[in-house]
Amino acid sequence: MQSQGKKGKLYVIGTGPGDPELLTVRAMKALNEAEYILGHRKYIEMISGVIKGKKVIKSGMGREVERVKLALELAKDSVVALVSGGDPSIYGIYSLVEEYILKNDLSVEMEIIPGVTALCAASPLLGSPVSGDHAVISLSDLLTPWEEIERRLIHALRGGFVVVIYNPSSRKRKSNLIWAMEIVLRVRGDVYVGIVRDAFRDGESSMVMRVSEILKEPEIVDMSTILFVSGEETIFERGRMLTPRGYAGRYSLQV
Ligand code: SAH
């Protein structure tokens, strides 16, 4: 006999940088529909105002595999929302869900809802640093060997890209930031770096510093910070960082 259980579904939802006003309409709908909400403690707390009355299962860092297993188990016959800060596919939980499904040959009713990633939230606070080609790198060596991170950073810098840095530092990994800034200094020089902490959260701050200044005060950068290293074309004027797209070369921008 076939199971009479009701049909489950897994939503993997990007919750954006923090402010619930930056949740998408679709994310809101899915959160409303969900019976269970699973996620990292920090991201669940940020959306606590919009998930009242739901069965919430919070866990900490390092518990991702457990969280994904539980979400998939519950999603067999319940509507489950697995939430990830920013966008779930950018240094988020979604790739692990796909990997787990592939490895175990599961068939799951699933919908992925994109979110505003930290890069998109933070860049307009500085100006328009990522309007041209850019490369995105995470300095977290929890899952990636440091030698690989370093190699990719050097290539991105040599390529002239604006380099956006996620996971620039943590309590345990202060040295990664210092090593990365030393590489920037060596390969690109003492350029300007945009620093945004806690974009669209309480305590939001943004500033632009030279690499040498960051090396003197590395504590300015923590795990809630994202960095924008100037590319070949990036300028910093009147307090704004800008990578022009080239309009001035083609059109007159005079009043
Ligand atoms: N999936 C997330 C990224 C998770 S990795 C996203 O799409 O945004 C965690 C890193 O993202 C942090 O170390 C930090 O570098 C960056 N980050 C996430 N939210 C941020 C915010 N509100 N302000 C600044 N940086 C943020």
mmCIF file of all heavy atoms in Angstrom, residues 16-18 42-43 84-93 115-119 121-122 138 165-169 196-201 222-227, ligand 1:
data_model
loop_
_atom_site.group_PDB
_atom_site.id
_atom_site.type_symbol
_atom_site.label_atom_id
_atom_site.label_comp_id
_atom_site.label_asym_id
_atom_site.label_seq_id
_atom_site.Cartn_x
_atom_site.Cartn_y
_atom_site.Cartn_z
ATOM 1 N N GLY A 16 18.856 37.126 2.663
ATOM 2 C CA GLY A 16 19.429 38.451 2.467
ATOM 3 C C GLY A 16 20.399 38.824 3.578
ATOM 4 O O GLY A 16 20.725 38.006 4.439
ATOM 5 N N PRO A 17 20.860 40.080 3.567
ATOM 6 C CA PRO A 17 21.933 40.476 4.495
ATOM 7 C C PRO A 17 21.501 40.582 5.953
ATOM 8 O O PRO A 17 22.343 40.564 6.841
ATOM 9 C CB PRO A 17 22.353 41.843 3.968
ATOM 10 C CG PRO A 17 21.172 42.354 3.217
ATOM 11 C CD PRO A 17 20.493 41.164 2.638
ATOM 12 N N GLY A 18 20.226 40.750 6.219
ATOM 13 C CA GLY A 18 19.800 40.857 7.620
ATOM 14 C C GLY A 18 18.456 41.543 7.764
ATOM 15 O O GLY A 18 17.526 40.959 8.302
ATOM 16 N N LYS A 42 22.223 32.530 13.918
ATOM 17 C CA LYS A 42 22.346 33.957 13.607
ATOM 18 C C LYS A 42 21.312 34.408 12.556
ATOM 19 O O LYS A 42 20.686 35.453 12.696
ATOM 20 C CB LYS A 42 23.771 34.153 13.066
ATOM 21 C CG LYS A 42 24.146 35.529 12.689
ATOM 22 C CD LYS A 42 25.662 35.541 12.487
ATOM 23 C CE LYS A 42 26.083 36.695 11.602
ATOM 24 N NZ LYS A 42 27.507 36.658 11.305
ATOM 25 N N TYR A 43 21.132 33.582 11.523
ATOM 26 C CA TYR A 43 20.205 33.980 10.450
ATOM 27 C C TYR A 43 18.756 33.842 10.893
ATOM 28 O O TYR A 43 17.904 34.636 10.495
ATOM 29 C CB TYR A 43 20.491 33.179 9.179
ATOM 30 C CG TYR A 43 21.904 33.383 8.681
ATOM 31 C CD1 TYR A 43 22.765 32.326 8.451
ATOM 32 C CD2 TYR A 43 22.389 34.682 8.487
ATOM 33 C CE1 TYR A 43 24.071 32.531 8.021
ATOM 34 C CE2 TYR A 43 23.683 34.902 8.063
ATOM 35 C CZ TYR A 43 24.525 33.824 7.842
ATOM 36 O OH TYR A 43 25.810 34.045 7.424
ATOM 37 N N SER A 84 19.346 30.369 4.665
ATOM 38 C CA SER A 84 20.773 30.659 4.559
ATOM 39 C C SER A 84 20.887 32.177 4.434
ATOM 40 O O SER A 84 20.072 32.795 3.734
ATOM 41 C CB SER A 84 21.277 29.962 3.296
ATOM 42 O OG SER A 84 22.661 29.947 3.191
ATOM 43 N N GLY A 85 21.849 32.782 5.088
ATOM 44 C CA GLY A 85 21.993 34.240 4.982
ATOM 45 C C GLY A 85 22.354 34.626 3.550
ATOM 46 O O GLY A 85 22.914 33.816 2.812
ATOM 47 N N GLY A 86 22.041 35.829 3.138
ATOM 48 C CA GLY A 86 22.380 36.280 1.790
ATOM 49 C C GLY A 86 21.696 35.405 0.765
ATOM 50 O O GLY A 86 20.479 35.202 0.802
ATOM 51 N N ASP A 87 22.484 34.849 -0.144
ATOM 52 C CA ASP A 87 21.965 33.914 -1.135
ATOM 53 C C ASP A 87 22.430 32.498 -0.764
ATOM 54 O O ASP A 87 23.593 32.317 -0.398
ATOM 55 C CB ASP A 87 22.500 34.291 -2.522
ATOM 56 C CG ASP A 87 21.946 33.355 -3.572
ATOM 57 O OD1 ASP A 87 20.871 33.660 -4.127
ATOM 58 O OD2 ASP A 87 22.555 32.293 -3.828
ATOM 59 N N PRO A 88 21.538 31.506 -0.875
ATOM 60 C CA PRO A 88 21.928 30.156 -0.413
ATOM 61 C C PRO A 88 22.987 29.495 -1.282
ATOM 62 O O PRO A 88 23.646 28.548 -0.851
ATOM 63 C CB PRO A 88 20.616 29.366 -0.464
ATOM 64 C CG PRO A 88 19.695 30.134 -1.344
ATOM 65 C CD PRO A 88 20.138 31.569 -1.310
ATOM 66 N N SER A 89 23.166 29.983 -2.532
ATOM 67 C CA SER A 89 24.154 29.316 -3.383
ATOM 68 C C SER A 89 25.502 30.022 -3.369
ATOM 69 O O SER A 89 26.440 29.590 -4.029
ATOM 70 C CB SER A 89 23.618 29.191 -4.810
ATOM 71 O OG SER A 89 23.398 30.464 -5.343
ATOM 72 N N ILE A 90 25.615 31.116 -2.637
ATOM 73 C CA ILE A 90 26.905 31.820 -2.569
ATOM 74 C C ILE A 90 27.490 31.602 -1.182
ATOM 75 O O ILE A 90 27.026 32.192 -0.206
ATOM 76 C CB ILE A 90 26.728 33.314 -2.904
ATOM 77 C CG1 ILE A 90 26.141 33.429 -4.313
ATOM 78 C CG2 ILE A 90 28.060 34.053 -2.777
ATOM 79 C CD1 ILE A 90 25.942 34.815 -4.827
ATOM 80 N N TYR A 91 28.476 30.714 -1.102
ATOM 81 C CA TYR A 91 29.061 30.305 0.187
ATOM 82 C C TYR A 91 27.955 29.975 1.192
ATOM 83 O O TYR A 91 28.071 30.303 2.378
ATOM 84 C CB TYR A 91 29.990 31.394 0.752
ATOM 85 C CG TYR A 91 31.062 31.850 -0.208
ATOM 86 C CD1 TYR A 91 31.157 33.185 -0.602
ATOM 87 C CD2 TYR A 91 31.970 30.955 -0.746
ATOM 88 C CE1 TYR A 91 32.141 33.608 -1.492
ATOM 89 C CE2 TYR A 91 32.949 31.368 -1.635
ATOM 90 C CZ TYR A 91 33.023 32.697 -1.998
ATOM 91 O OH TYR A 91 33.990 33.104 -2.884
ATOM 92 N N GLY A 92 26.895 29.371 0.697
ATOM 93 C CA GLY A 92 25.756 29.045 1.561
ATOM 94 C C GLY A 92 25.504 27.548 1.598
ATOM 95 O O GLY A 92 26.327 26.735 1.150
ATOM 96 N N ILE A 93 24.330 27.184 2.087
ATOM 97 C CA ILE A 93 24.035 25.782 2.386
ATOM 98 C C ILE A 93 23.582 24.980 1.153
ATOM 99 O O ILE A 93 23.604 23.755 1.159
ATOM 100 C CB ILE A 93 22.947 25.724 3.492
ATOM 101 C CG1 ILE A 93 22.882 24.364 4.191
ATOM 102 C CG2 ILE A 93 21.563 26.068 2.954
ATOM 103 C CD1 ILE A 93 23.657 24.287 5.429
ATOM 104 N N GLY A 115 18.522 35.028 -2.708
ATOM 105 C CA GLY A 115 18.482 36.142 -1.757
ATOM 106 C C GLY A 115 19.508 37.198 -2.144
ATOM 107 O O GLY A 115 20.355 36.972 -3.002
ATOM 108 N N VAL A 116 19.416 38.338 -1.510
ATOM 109 C CA VAL A 116 20.369 39.428 -1.778
ATOM 110 C C VAL A 116 21.692 39.065 -1.089
ATOM 111 O O VAL A 116 21.770 39.016 0.141
ATOM 112 C CB VAL A 116 19.841 40.768 -1.218
ATOM 113 C CG1 VAL A 116 20.870 41.878 -1.419
ATOM 114 C CG2 VAL A 116 18.512 41.132 -1.862
ATOM 115 N N THR A 117 22.698 38.761 -1.907
ATOM 116 C CA THR A 117 23.980 38.370 -1.323
ATOM 117 C C THR A 117 24.723 39.582 -0.742
ATOM 118 O O THR A 117 24.449 40.728 -1.135
ATOM 119 C CB THR A 117 24.825 37.617 -2.373
ATOM 120 O OG1 THR A 117 25.995 37.098 -1.742
ATOM 121 C CG2 THR A 117 25.244 38.513 -3.523
ATOM 122 N N ALA A 118 25.662 39.313 0.154
ATOM 123 C CA ALA A 118 26.383 40.400 0.836
ATOM 124 C C ALA A 118 27.016 41.380 -0.155
ATOM 125 O O ALA A 118 26.998 42.590 0.068
ATOM 126 C CB ALA A 118 27.457 39.803 1.742
ATOM 127 N N LEU A 119 27.530 40.841 -1.256
ATOM 128 C CA LEU A 119 28.166 41.700 -2.268
ATOM 129 C C LEU A 119 27.183 42.768 -2.760
ATOM 130 O O LEU A 119 27.512 43.952 -2.830
ATOM 131 C CB LEU A 119 28.615 40.797 -3.408
ATOM 132 C CG LEU A 119 29.369 41.315 -4.610
ATOM 133 C CD1 LEU A 119 30.018 40.137 -5.303
ATOM 134 C CD2 LEU A 119 28.520 42.061 -5.589
ATOM 135 N N ALA A 121 24.404 43.769 -1.338
ATOM 136 C CA ALA A 121 23.934 44.636 -0.255
ATOM 137 C C ALA A 121 24.994 45.678 0.076
ATOM 138 O O ALA A 121 24.693 46.851 0.308
ATOM 139 C CB ALA A 121 23.608 43.796 0.977
ATOM 140 N N ALA A 122 26.250 45.249 0.079
ATOM 141 C CA ALA A 122 27.317 46.124 0.571
ATOM 142 C C ALA A 122 27.832 47.107 -0.473
ATOM 143 O O ALA A 122 28.189 48.240 -0.133
ATOM 144 C CB ALA A 122 28.481 45.265 1.079
ATOM 145 N N SER A 138 36.638 33.748 -1.156
ATOM 146 C CA SER A 138 36.430 33.609 0.288
ATOM 147 C C SER A 138 37.771 33.254 0.917
ATOM 148 O O SER A 138 38.494 32.407 0.398
ATOM 149 C CB SER A 138 35.425 32.490 0.570
ATOM 150 O OG SER A 138 35.526 32.100 1.930
ATOM 151 N N ILE A 165 35.994 40.178 -1.328
ATOM 152 C CA ILE A 165 36.452 39.153 -0.374
ATOM 153 C C ILE A 165 35.395 38.866 0.690
ATOM 154 O O ILE A 165 35.075 39.718 1.505
ATOM 155 C CB ILE A 165 37.790 39.571 0.274
ATOM 156 C CG1 ILE A 165 38.854 39.763 -0.819
ATOM 157 C CG2 ILE A 165 38.232 38.526 1.297
ATOM 158 C CD1 ILE A 165 40.237 40.129 -0.294
ATOM 159 N N TYR A 166 34.855 37.645 0.650
ATOM 160 C CA TYR A 166 33.947 37.150 1.692
ATOM 161 C C TYR A 166 34.796 36.457 2.765
ATOM 162 O O TYR A 166 35.906 36.025 2.489
ATOM 163 C CB TYR A 166 32.985 36.095 1.125
ATOM 164 C CG TYR A 166 31.775 36.616 0.369
ATOM 165 C CD1 TYR A 166 31.916 37.232 -0.864
ATOM 166 C CD2 TYR A 166 30.491 36.458 0.878
ATOM 167 C CE1 TYR A 166 30.802 37.686 -1.569
ATOM 168 C CE2 TYR A 166 29.372 36.906 0.176
ATOM 169 C CZ TYR A 166 29.535 37.522 -1.051
ATOM 170 O OH TYR A 166 28.431 37.955 -1.741
ATOM 171 N N ASN A 167 34.239 36.308 3.936
ATOM 172 C CA ASN A 167 34.924 35.615 5.047
ATOM 173 C C ASN A 167 36.359 36.117 5.234
ATOM 174 O O ASN A 167 37.301 35.314 5.244
ATOM 175 C CB ASN A 167 34.966 34.099 4.794
ATOM 176 C CG ASN A 167 33.592 33.472 4.837
ATOM 177 O OD1 ASN A 167 32.884 33.568 5.829
ATOM 178 N ND2 ASN A 167 33.198 32.839 3.746
ATOM 179 N N PRO A 168 36.549 37.437 5.337
ATOM 180 C CA PRO A 168 37.924 37.946 5.370
ATOM 181 C C PRO A 168 38.654 37.632 6.661
ATOM 182 O O PRO A 168 39.878 37.630 6.691
ATOM 183 C CB PRO A 168 37.751 39.461 5.223
ATOM 184 C CG PRO A 168 36.384 39.747 5.757
ATOM 185 C CD PRO A 168 35.560 38.533 5.442
ATOM 186 N N SER A 169 37.902 37.355 7.716
ATOM 187 C CA SER A 169 38.577 37.179 8.996
ATOM 188 C C SER A 169 37.630 36.529 9.992
ATOM 189 O O SER A 169 36.426 36.541 9.813
ATOM 190 C CB SER A 169 38.964 38.561 9.528
ATOM 191 O OG SER A 169 39.778 38.441 10.646
ATOM 192 N N VAL A 196 32.953 46.993 4.305
ATOM 193 C CA VAL A 196 31.580 47.148 4.794
ATOM 194 C C VAL A 196 31.324 46.106 5.870
ATOM 195 O O VAL A 196 31.517 44.908 5.648
ATOM 196 C CB VAL A 196 30.543 46.994 3.663
ATOM 197 C CG1 VAL A 196 29.125 47.131 4.218
ATOM 198 C CG2 VAL A 196 30.786 48.025 2.573
ATOM 199 N N ARG A 197 30.920 46.609 7.019
ATOM 200 C CA ARG A 197 30.604 45.679 8.105
ATOM 201 C C ARG A 197 29.104 45.729 8.389
ATOM 202 O O ARG A 197 28.504 46.797 8.428
ATOM 203 C CB ARG A 197 31.380 46.060 9.361
ATOM 204 C CG ARG A 197 31.155 45.025 10.465
ATOM 205 C CD ARG A 197 31.635 45.516 11.793
ATOM 206 N NE ARG A 197 33.071 45.478 11.886
ATOM 207 C CZ ARG A 197 33.758 46.161 12.796
ATOM 208 N NH1 ARG A 197 33.147 46.930 13.653
ATOM 209 N NH2 ARG A 197 35.064 46.066 12.831
ATOM 210 N N ASP A 198 28.519 44.541 8.565
ATOM 211 C CA ASP A 198 27.109 44.425 8.940
ATOM 212 C C ASP A 198 26.162 45.234 8.043
ATOM 213 O O ASP A 198 25.335 46.006 8.538
ATOM 214 C CB ASP A 198 26.920 44.846 10.411
ATOM 215 C CG ASP A 198 27.390 43.759 11.359
ATOM 216 O OD1 ASP A 198 27.129 42.578 11.081
ATOM 217 O OD2 ASP A 198 28.036 44.088 12.372
ATOM 218 N N ALA A 199 26.310 45.059 6.749
ATOM 219 C CA ALA A 199 25.413 45.744 5.804
ATOM 220 C C ALA A 199 23.961 45.387 6.117
ATOM 221 O O ALA A 199 23.637 44.206 6.301
ATOM 222 C CB ALA A 199 25.746 45.317 4.376
ATOM 223 N N PHE A 200 23.119 46.389 6.199
ATOM 224 C CA PHE A 200 21.673 46.205 6.461
ATOM 225 C C PHE A 200 21.380 45.440 7.755
ATOM 226 O O PHE A 200 20.439 44.649 7.834
ATOM 227 C CB PHE A 200 20.978 45.562 5.247
ATOM 228 C CG PHE A 200 20.941 46.504 4.082
ATOM 229 C CD1 PHE A 200 21.976 46.538 3.162
ATOM 230 C CD2 PHE A 200 19.889 47.392 3.930
ATOM 231 C CE1 PHE A 200 21.973 47.434 2.102
ATOM 232 C CE2 PHE A 200 19.871 48.292 2.870
ATOM 233 C CZ PHE A 200 20.922 48.312 1.956
ATOM 234 N N ARG A 201 22.261 45.680 8.734
ATOM 235 C CA ARG A 201 22.039 45.137 10.083
ATOM 236 C C ARG A 201 22.330 46.253 11.074
ATOM 237 O O ARG A 201 22.956 47.253 10.703
ATOM 238 C CB ARG A 201 23.018 44.008 10.396
ATOM 239 C CG ARG A 201 22.895 42.822 9.504
ATOM 240 C CD ARG A 201 23.986 41.841 9.881
ATOM 241 N NE ARG A 201 24.013 40.715 8.971
ATOM 242 C CZ ARG A 201 25.067 39.933 8.803
ATOM 243 N NH1 ARG A 201 26.182 40.153 9.483
ATOM 244 N NH2 ARG A 201 25.020 38.927 7.970
ATOM 245 N N ASP A 222 36.230 42.071 10.567
ATOM 246 C CA ASP A 222 35.864 40.855 11.298
ATOM 247 C C ASP A 222 35.004 39.965 10.409
ATOM 248 O O ASP A 222 34.870 40.215 9.209
ATOM 249 C CB ASP A 222 35.170 41.200 12.635
ATOM 250 C CG ASP A 222 33.831 41.879 12.429
ATOM 251 O OD1 ASP A 222 33.346 41.923 11.275
ATOM 252 O OD2 ASP A 222 33.266 42.367 13.423
ATOM 253 N N MET A 223 34.397 38.939 10.999
ATOM 254 C CA MET A 223 33.672 37.976 10.170
ATOM 255 C C MET A 223 32.342 38.514 9.631
ATOM 256 O O MET A 223 31.711 37.859 8.800
ATOM 257 C CB MET A 223 33.476 36.662 10.923
ATOM 258 C CG MET A 223 32.652 36.783 12.167
ATOM 259 S SD MET A 223 32.871 35.370 13.246
ATOM 260 C CE MET A 223 32.290 34.058 12.212
ATOM 261 N N SER A 224 31.925 39.695 10.061
ATOM 262 C CA SER A 224 30.701 40.295 9.495
ATOM 263 C C SER A 224 31.044 41.359 8.472
ATOM 264 O O SER A 224 30.263 42.266 8.208
ATOM 265 C CB SER A 224 29.871 40.940 10.604
ATOM 266 O OG SER A 224 29.571 39.999 11.572
ATOM 267 N N THR A 225 32.257 41.276 7.935
ATOM 268 C CA THR A 225 32.753 42.311 7.023
ATOM 269 C C THR A 225 32.989 41.716 5.637
ATOM 270 O O THR A 225 33.381 40.552 5.512
ATOM 271 C CB THR A 225 34.101 42.856 7.567
ATOM 272 O OG1 THR A 225 33.941 43.197 8.929
ATOM 273 C CG2 THR A 225 34.577 44.058 6.791
ATOM 274 N N ILE A 226 32.760 42.539 4.629
ATOM 275 C CA ILE A 226 33.090 42.141 3.253
ATOM 276 C C ILE A 226 34.001 43.225 2.674
ATOM 277 O O ILE A 226 33.842 44.405 3.003
ATOM 278 C CB ILE A 226 31.799 41.931 2.423
ATOM 279 C CG1 ILE A 226 32.103 41.394 1.028
ATOM 280 C CG2 ILE A 226 30.950 43.191 2.329
ATOM 281 C CD1 ILE A 226 30.877 40.835 0.300
ATOM 282 N N LEU A 227 34.972 42.817 1.857
ATOM 283 C CA LEU A 227 35.953 43.770 1.332
ATOM 284 C C LEU A 227 35.852 43.880 -0.189
ATOM 285 O O LEU A 227 35.538 42.890 -0.856
ATOM 286 C CB LEU A 227 37.375 43.307 1.677
ATOM 287 C CG LEU A 227 37.702 43.059 3.140
ATOM 288 C CD1 LEU A 227 39.157 42.601 3.271
ATOM 289 C CD2 LEU A 227 37.474 44.314 3.966
HETATM 290 N N1 SAH B 1 25.524 33.247 1.682
HETATM 291 C C1 SAH B 1 26.030 34.512 2.192
HETATM 292 C C2 SAH B 1 27.522 34.474 2.479
HETATM 293 C C3 SAH B 1 27.911 33.584 3.631
HETATM 294 S S1 SAH B 1 29.613 33.610 3.941
HETATM 295 C C4 SAH B 1 25.683 35.625 1.202
HETATM 296 O O1 SAH B 1 25.237 35.329 0.088
HETATM 297 O O2 SAH B 1 25.865 36.796 1.553
HETATM 298 C C5 SAH B 1 29.694 34.760 5.276
HETATM 299 C C6 SAH B 1 30.432 36.017 4.859
HETATM 300 O O3 SAH B 1 29.571 36.829 4.069
HETATM 301 C C7 SAH B 1 30.840 36.909 6.021
HETATM 302 O O4 SAH B 1 32.068 36.498 6.584
HETATM 303 C C8 SAH B 1 30.965 38.257 5.340
HETATM 304 O O5 SAH B 1 32.168 38.343 4.618
HETATM 305 C C9 SAH B 1 29.836 38.196 4.308
HETATM 306 N N2 SAH B 1 28.596 38.833 4.785
HETATM 307 C C10 SAH B 1 27.399 38.221 4.939
HETATM 308 N N3 SAH B 1 26.463 39.105 5.315
HETATM 309 C C11 SAH B 1 27.075 40.311 5.416
HETATM 310 C C12 SAH B 1 26.625 41.615 5.770
HETATM 311 N N4 SAH B 1 25.364 41.857 6.094
HETATM 312 N N5 SAH B 1 27.527 42.627 5.762
HETATM 313 C C13 SAH B 1 28.821 42.397 5.417
HETATM 314 N N6 SAH B 1 29.301 41.175 5.073
HETATM 315 C C14 SAH B 1 28.437 40.151 5.069
#
